[in-house]
């Protein structure tokens, strides 16, 4: 049914402004819509694979004839009056607006036909491979070729879902059983402790492998292995009691150093600064070797210098020092280096596309004599440049290991044919990559779907509706993952899930949208409309007024002395800058004028009349490439437009912040639940059904990559394409790519990465 009734007004869905769909959906949830025929309550169905329609809530198969259908059938009926033929009159809401009509979902088309390519072991004449088959462990031809590789360096290009863990495990077992290599002469490096534990568990399923051998393997992450070397040779210097392993402690060191530059603790992006320092250290750049390009870089470099100085004085170290410290130790003590070069015969490295410079140099040093380096990775899945990872190490592997061979694992055992082919078409757009083509092992009737919500709010509604339908049809919540580029992109879908009955879980790193610095500052202006003596709110708005936190003490004192509100006292602040003092005198009148306004109108007035845009511009110029406060405010406006009162909006923000904290605590225990995750966090995982949010320019690819491209640097854009490739290849059976028509209140363009797939 395309028609509903709200009060005395009929809503003709096909002729209603497109931007009103979400509002109508919300009104239906509140029970404000009814069927114009039977008067039963109806709701607007906003899903992905079906066009919107009104559905009866309590009657599964209503017999009501849609008034819109009746009207349409009689729309061309004419009547004659005094010899003139006149068309039947129509309701004014029936005016067609084609520009705002609903855009139906489309499937990816023109994909190559599926050709079955089952595992064929006939070309592999090996007793070891036959023994594995006897233990129900099967390898395809390329996997077997990698496992049976003779001594020397080997690069295994393992595409998404190609069984890289199976190959690493089988190679380890092969060395232990067939080559009779002592377990303690094998170094098996993984990127997580969980991956190392998984490989050890798998090894127990291999013939002639026992627990004693597994326990003697040198396994673990880069950090754990090389820290053991440091702690063994320099136990006092590298005692675990000297480790700075608590994040707030490291952040506090930077904050103490920041006071020398008069950096505001609440305003300066210290988390981003810690990340940047880690990037420099993993790239083997000491403070003296860093070249700064922006004022923000200069500030972070100063913090880096002070941070390293503090650690040296206190004889402390952090996780990054475990790698750089071990490299320095082996470089300064050649005899010790030679001992370890003789100690290890084989090096097996997982996720090689994610190694950074110091990790790569350590492996080169240790393997220089034997050169038995077996690395597994995929340059198409290199997505951690912000940590110092560089796909060039996998691209140019033969440069540092001249006799190296390369084996391609090209069979994808995870995803359906249509998903694999769509992924192939996306990633081939990258110019700097090792050519490879993945092939699927199975097909189904679910081609990847692109759907076109009006904005972020409707995007969330459509996804939650689709998941709810599938779960009602028998799917498990754990079958689903909703993936996004940045944490802020999850705001709307998080809010929709909290009001649904669906169980879901989130990453520990996903902070509440409403707790972000810029968002809290803007919301604090709104809070002062309700309570002019709100001290926390006053403290939060001071940075945007270019005032230091010490001003709050003066405001509280004046408030007591003059029996006035904190808001009143702002106009009396003296800064020695007439222009700034003039603006401060406007603060109280502007905030009081917000009473009765909608949250959206209030935010826009604060931006315009209290210089908030100037504050955002200054912060953007002084921040790093990720810290775009203006984007936060645009996101906030999208959320605010759904509320009519400031009080309701603030209550909603507080509730969502509380729900975020609660979900973090529950997520560790929740098993059968929908996963809400960044694409970075989802790497290495897989789900039956995957939804990717915001596949539009500015989101994927991110704005910073587009800016880099304008400056003739294409590498960030290529990493963004790899990021979408990773997201797509997490899906096993069904894939849904969201292409919002509007993003952050402005018209959006489909991601340029989608031009390679036809739909």
């Amino acid at each position: 049914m395309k028609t509903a009734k709200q009060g005395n007004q009929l809503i003709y869905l096909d002729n209603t402004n497109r931007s009103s769909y979400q509002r109508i959906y919300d009104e239906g949830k509140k029970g404000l819509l009814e069927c114009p025929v039977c008067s039963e309550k109806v709701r607007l169905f906003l899903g992905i694979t079906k066009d919107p329609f009104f559905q009866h809530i309590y009657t599964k198969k209503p017999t009501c004839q849609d008034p819109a259908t009746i009207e349409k059938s009689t729309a061309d009926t004419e009547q004659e009056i005094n010899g003139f033929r006149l068309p039947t009159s129509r309701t004014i809401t029936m005016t067609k607006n084609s520009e705002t009509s609903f855009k139906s979902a489309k499937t990816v088309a023109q994909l190559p036909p599926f050709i079955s390519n089952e595992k064929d072991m006939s070309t592999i004449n090996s007793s070891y491979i036959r023994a594995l088959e006897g233990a129900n462990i099967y390898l395809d031809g390329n996997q077997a070729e990698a496992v049976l590789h003779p001594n020397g360096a080997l690069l295994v290009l393992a595409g998404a879902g190609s069984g890289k863990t199976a190959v690493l495990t089988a190679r380890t077992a092969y060395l232990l059983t067939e080559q009779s290599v002592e377990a303690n002469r094998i170094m098996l490096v993984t990127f997580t402790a969980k991956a190392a534990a998984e490989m050890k568990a798998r090894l127990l399923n291999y013939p002639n492998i026992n627990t004693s051998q597994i326990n003697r393997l040198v396994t673990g992450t880069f950090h754990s292995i090389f820290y053991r070397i440091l702690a063994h040779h320099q136990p006092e210097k590298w005692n675990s009691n000297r480790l700075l392993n608590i994040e707030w402690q490291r952040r506090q060191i930077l904050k103490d150093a920041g006071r020398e530059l008069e950096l505001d603790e609440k305003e300066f992006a210290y988390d981003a600064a810690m990340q940047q320092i880690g990037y420099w250290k993993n790239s083997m750049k000491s403070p003296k070797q860093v070249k700064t390009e922006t004022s923000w870089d200069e500030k972070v470099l100063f913090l880096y210098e002070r941070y390293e100085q503090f650690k040296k004085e206190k004889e402390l170290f952090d996780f990054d020092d475990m790698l750089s410290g071990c490299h320095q130790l082996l470089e300064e003590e050649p005899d010790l280096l030679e001992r370890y070069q003789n100690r290890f015969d084989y090096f097996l490295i997982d996720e090689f596309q994610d190694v950074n410079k110091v990790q790569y140099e350590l492996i080169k040093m240790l393997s220089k004599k034997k050169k038995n380096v077996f690395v597994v990775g995929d340059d198409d899945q290199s997505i951690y440049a912000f940590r110092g990872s560089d796909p060039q190490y996998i691209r140019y592997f033969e440069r540092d290991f001249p006799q190296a061979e390369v084996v391609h694992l090209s069979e994808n055992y995870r995803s359906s044919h249509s998903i694999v082919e769509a992924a192939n078409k996306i990633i081939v757009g990258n110019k700097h990559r090792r050519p490879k083509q993945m092939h699927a092992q199975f097909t189904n009737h679910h081609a990847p779907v692109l759907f076109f919500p009006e904005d972020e709010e409707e995007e969330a509604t459509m996804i939650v509706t689709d998941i709810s339908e599938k779960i009602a049809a028998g799917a498990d919540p754990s079958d689903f993952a909703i993936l996004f580029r940045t944490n802020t992109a999850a705001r709307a879908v998080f809010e929709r899930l909290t009001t649904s009955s669906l169980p879901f879980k989130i990453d520990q790193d996903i902070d509440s949208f409403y707790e972000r610095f810029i968002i809290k500052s803007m919301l604090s202006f709104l809070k002062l409309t309700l309570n002019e003596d709100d001290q926390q709110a006053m403290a939060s708005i001071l940075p945007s007024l270019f005032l230091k936190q010490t001003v709050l003490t003066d405001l509280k004192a004046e408030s007591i002395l003059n029996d006035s509100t904190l808001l009143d006292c702002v106009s009396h602040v003296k800064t020695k800058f007439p222009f700034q003092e003039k603006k401060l005198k406007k603060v109280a009148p502007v905030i009081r004028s917000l009473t009765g306004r909608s949250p959206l109108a209030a935010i826009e007035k604060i931006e315009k009349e209290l210089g908030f845009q100037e504050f955002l511009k200054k912060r953007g110029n002084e921040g790093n490439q990720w810290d775009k406060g203006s984007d936060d405010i645009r996101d906030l406006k999208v959320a605010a437009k759904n509320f009519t009162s400031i009080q309701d909006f603030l209550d909603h923000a507080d509730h969502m912040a509380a729900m975020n904290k609660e979900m973090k605590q529950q997520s560790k225990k929740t098993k059968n639940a929908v996963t809400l995750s960044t694409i970075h966090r989802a790497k290495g995982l897989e789900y039956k059904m995957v939804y990717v949010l915001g596949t539009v320019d500015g989101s994927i690819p991110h704005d910073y990559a587009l800016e880099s491209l304008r400056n003739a640097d294409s590498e960030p854009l290529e990493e963004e394409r790899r990021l979408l490739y990773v997201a797509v290849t997490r899906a096993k059976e069904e894939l849904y790519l969201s292409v919002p028509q509007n993003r952050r209140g402005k018209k959006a363009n489909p991601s340029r990465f989608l031009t390679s797939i036809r739909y």
Side-chain angles (χ1 to χ4, degrees):
M1 180 175 281
K2 295 289 187 177
T3 313
K5 187 178 179 183
Q6 184 175 13
N8 295 321
Q9 181 181 4
L10 284 178
I11 301 172
Y12 295 91
L13 191 58
D14 286 344
N15 299 283
T16 299
N17 192 292
R18 181 73 179 82
S19 61
S20 300
Y21 279 31
Q22 181 62 43
R23 175 183 57 79
I24 296 171
Y25 171 85
D26 292 335
E27 288 168 348
K29 287 189 67 176
K30 296 174 183 176
L32 301 178
L33 304 180
E34 61 183 39
C35 173
V37 178
C38 68
S39 297
E40 183 180 311
K41 298 294 183 183
V42 297
R43 288 183 181 177
L44 177 61
F45 177 90
L46 266 180
I48 292 177
T49 57
K50 303 174 189 174
D51 285 1
F53 64 92
F54 291 108
Q55 59 182 172
H56 288 66
I57 298 176
Y58 305 112
T59 305
K60 292 184 178 180
K61 295 183 179 180
T63 58
C64 304
Q65 187 173 0
D66 192 345
T69 304
I70 299 173
E71 176 107 20
K72 185 176 181 180
S73 66
T74 61
D76 295 327
T77 303
E78 298 176 337
Q79 54 182 315
E80 186 172 316
I81 301 176
N82 297 328
F84 292 95
R85 290 187 176 183
L86 301 175
T88 303
S89 61
R90 304 182 189 181
T91 307
I92 193 169
T93 56
M94 287 294 287
T95 303
K96 185 69 174 175
N97 187 347
S98 60
E99 293 183 0
T100 59
S101 60
F102 184 84
K103 187 175 182 181
S104 301
K106 297 181 180 180
T107 55
V108 174
Q110 297 185 18
L111 295 174
F114 175 69
I115 299 175
S116 179
N117 187 18
E118 297 180 358
K119 292 183 178 182
D120 181 7
M121 303 305 300
S122 60
T123 59
I124 304 296
N125 184 18
S126 166
S127 59
Y128 177 67
I129 298 301
R130 290 194 294 273
L132 292 186
E133 291 175 351
N136 294 319
I137 299 172
Y138 299 95
L139 303 176
D140 65 33
N142 290 346
Q143 290 173 335
E145 181 184 351
V147 169
L148 301 177
H149 183 262
N151 288 355
L154 180 70
L155 167 62
V156 182
L157 280 175
S162 61
K164 67 177 182 62
T165 302
V167 168
L168 271 171
T169 308
R171 173 66 175 179
T172 305
Y174 174 74
L175 293 176
L176 292 172
T177 59
E178 299 299 304
Q179 299 298 309
S180 301
V181 179
E182 290 294 326
N184 64 354
R185 301 187 70 82
I186 299 174
M187 180 186 290
L188 174 59
V189 186
T190 62
F191 263 76
T192 65
K194 181 181 177 182
E198 180 185 347
M199 287 189 195
K200 285 184 175 181
R202 286 196 185 192
L203 278 169
L204 288 173
N205 298 322
Y206 281 73
N208 304 316
I209 296 289
N210 57 58
T211 304
S212 175
Q213 286 175 299
I214 295 173
N215 290 337
R216 292 174 61 221
L217 287 168
V218 180
T219 64
T221 64
F222 276 102
H223 287 85
S224 66
I225 291 174
F226 291 109
Y227 175 63
R228 274 179 264 167
I229 293 175
L230 287 171
H232 178 72
H233 295 285
Q234 298 178 335
E236 180 58 31
K237 180 178 180 180
W238 298 97
N239 187 295
S240 60
N241 293 329
R242 300 181 185 275
L243 174 63
L244 278 169
N245 63 341
I246 302 177
E247 191 167 306
W248 70 262
Q249 292 176 325
R250 298 170 58 219
R251 190 185 297 111
Q252 190 58 50
I253 296 171
L254 297 186
K255 287 182 177 180
D256 291 342
R259 293 194 186 101
E260 295 183 51
L261 297 178
E262 298 185 342
L263 299 179
D264 191 298
E265 286 192 13
K266 294 187 176 181
E267 182 179 351
F268 189 76
Y270 280 102
D271 286 342
M274 288 174 60
Q275 180 176 297
Q276 182 64 49
I277 291 171
Y279 171 82
W280 284 332
K281 294 181 71 172
N282 288 323
S283 300
M284 302 180 72
K285 293 181 180 179
S286 67
K288 292 182 179 179
Q289 295 171 311
V290 171
K291 294 181 180 179
T292 60
E293 296 180 359
T294 66
S295 61
W296 187 80
D297 285 344
E298 291 174 0
K299 293 184 179 72
V300 178
L301 176 56
F302 177 85
L303 300 181
Y304 183 17
E305 292 170 340
R306 290 292 188 270
Y307 178 69
E308 293 299 307
Q309 181 181 336
F310 179 89
K311 287 190 301 161
K312 185 176 181 180
E313 291 174 354
K314 302 295 183 180
E315 298 182 332
L316 301 173
F317 65 93
D318 61 20
F319 281 105
D320 293 326
D321 294 325
M322 294 176 181
L323 300 180
S324 57
C326 192
H327 183 274
Q328 183 179 354
L329 173 66
L330 297 177
E331 199 171 47
E332 293 176 350
E333 298 189 25
D335 291 342
L336 182 61
L337 171 60
E338 187 174 8
R339 282 173 54 189
Y340 279 101
Q341 288 173 336
N342 293 329
R343 157 73 191 279
F344 292 106
D345 292 331
Y346 294 89
F347 299 87
L348 287 76
I349 318 295
D350 192 14
E351 303 286 7
F352 194 67
Q353 76 280 348
D354 294 332
V355 298
N356 56 42
K357 184 174 179 60
V358 65
Q359 292 166 342
Y360 187 63
E361 293 299 327
L362 280 165
I363 291 299
K364 279 205 309 179
M365 291 172 72
L366 291 175
S367 64
K368 190 172 183 179
K369 278 193 173 184
K370 308 290 179 62
K371 297 190 182 304
N372 291 323
V373 180
F374 185 98
V375 303
V376 181
D378 180 11
D379 55 326
D380 288 337
Q381 297 185 70
S382 178
I383 59 173
Y384 295 114
F386 62 90
R387 294 181 186 169
S389 301
D390 193 335
Q392 72 165 332
Y393 301 128
I394 203 169
R395 291 180 195 152
Y396 306 118
F397 185 71
E398 297 95 326
R399 179 186 61 191
D400 294 319
F401 298 91
Q403 305 302 317
E405 295 183 17
V406 180
V407 171
H408 289 75
L409 303 187
S410 56
E411 300 301 320
N412 183 301
Y413 299 99
R414 173 191 299 150
S415 306
S416 69
H417 168 69
S418 59
I419 292 173
V420 171
E421 289 299 333
N424 284 337
K425 287 180 174 292
I426 289 171
I427 198 60
V428 77
N430 273 2
K431 296 179 181 178
H432 306 294
R433 62 185 289 264
R434 283 181 175 266
K436 63 184 78 69
Q437 185 85 0
M438 298 300 296
H439 305 283
Q441 287 291 302
F442 71 95
T443 189
N444 61 20
H445 61 279
H446 296 292
V449 174
L450 287 86
F451 63 104
F452 309 92
E454 176 71 9
D455 58 14
E456 299 92 331
E457 297 296 330
E458 197 176 278
E459 175 183 60
T461 296
M462 294 171 79
I463 290 173
V464 171
T465 298
D466 195 66
I467 293 175
S468 298
E469 274 200 308
K470 287 179 167 62
I471 290 177
D476 289 325
S478 59
D479 292 339
F480 302 90
I482 304 171
L483 307 182
F484 40 89
R485 176 66 182 81
T486 59
N487 286 336
T488 54
R491 193 265 318 159
V493 75
F494 174 84
E495 293 180 5
R496 204 71 75 250
L497 283 168
T498 59
T499 58
S500 74
S501 59
L502 300 178
F504 71 100
K505 57 185 179 180
I506 61 175
D507 284 335
Q508 296 301 305
D509 287 348
I510 300 179
D511 292 324
S512 170
F513 170 77
Y514 298 100
E515 292 295 312
R516 293 176 65 83
F517 174 77
I518 294 296
I519 300 300
K520 287 183 68 174
S521 181
M522 178 57 80
L523 292 179
S524 293
F525 279 103
L526 303 184
K527 289 179 179 180
L528 288 169
T529 67
L530 306 177
N531 178 8
E532 295 185 5
D533 281 315
D534 188 328
Q535 293 187 17
Q536 286 187 340
M538 182 59 69
S540 292
I541 73 168
L542 292 179
S544 66
L545 299 174
F546 301 98
L547 297 174
K548 296 180 179 180
Q549 289 297 319
T550 53
V551 172
L552 183 60
T553 302
D554 298 333
L555 292 176
K556 289 191 287 188
E558 184 177 344
S559 173
I560 295 171
L561 290 173
N562 298 328
D563 192 24
S564 57
T565 66
L566 289 175
L567 185 60
D568 277 320
C569 297
V570 172
S571 61
H572 303 143
V573 173
K574 301 299 179 183
T575 65
K576 299 181 182 180
F577 298 102
F579 176 80
Q580 185 181 17
E581 291 178 3
K582 182 179 179 180
K583 186 177 72 172
L584 294 176
K585 292 184 185 301
K586 293 173 58 179
V587 173
V590 169
I591 288 180
R592 287 168 181 155
S593 73
L594 303 179
T595 303
R597 291 176 179 263
S598 70
L600 179 57
I603 291 170
E604 290 175 340
K605 185 162 186 175
I606 292 166
E607 282 186 292
K608 182 178 179 181
E609 298 192 21
L610 294 183
F612 204 85
Q613 282 294 343
E614 286 79 6
F615 164 63
L616 293 179
K617 185 176 180 180
K618 178 178 183 294
R619 181 177 172 84
N621 291 337
E622 294 182 351
N624 69 340
Q625 60 192 11
W626 300 96
D627 192 18
K628 304 295 183 184
S630 57
D631 291 345
D632 284 354
I633 294 301
R634 285 195 283 269
D635 286 328
L636 185 65
K637 287 180 181 179
V638 174
K641 73 178 184 180
N642 298 313
F643 297 85
T644 56
S645 81
I646 290 175
Q647 181 69 69
D648 288 347
F649 184 44
L650 291 174
D651 289 344
H652 171 77
D654 289 341
H655 178 60
M656 288 299 112
M659 285 297 297
N660 184 274
K661 292 179 182 178
E662 183 179 334
M663 288 305 304
K664 282 185 177 182
Q665 295 174 350
Q666 293 180 358
S667 291
K668 294 180 179 179
K669 305 174 184 177
T670 306
K671 299 297 181 183
N672 190 17
V674 177
T675 296
L676 201 55
S677 171
T678 63
I679 300 172
H680 284 96
R681 284 284 186 176
K683 185 173 174 293
L685 304 177
E686 57 185 38
Y687 305 89
K688 284 187 177 180
M689 286 158 272
V690 168
Y691 303 80
V692 183
L693 302 183
T695 51
V696 295
D697 278 356
S699 175
I700 308 176
H702 193 278
D703 281 322
Y704 97 93
L706 299 177
E707 180 64 30
S708 297
L709 184 64
R710 286 188 284 270
N711 294 324
D713 181 6
S714 63
E715 179 52 37
L717 188 71
E718 294 218 341
E719 176 154 324
E720 291 292 300
R721 187 181 274 106
R722 295 194 293 267
L723 196 64
L724 180 58
Y725 176 79
V726 167
V728 166
T729 53
R730 298 312 94 199
K732 296 163 66 176
E733 298 177 4
E734 298 180 37
L735 171 68
Y736 300 88
L737 301 175
S738 171
V739 188
Q741 303 301 283
N742 296 280
R743 176 175 177 264
R744 291 173 170 162
K746 294 184 178 181
K747 183 172 177 57
N749 294 314
S751 171
R752 60 194 63 201
F753 301 151
L754 299 180
T755 57
S756 58
I757 56 177
R758 299 292 183 89
Y759 55 90

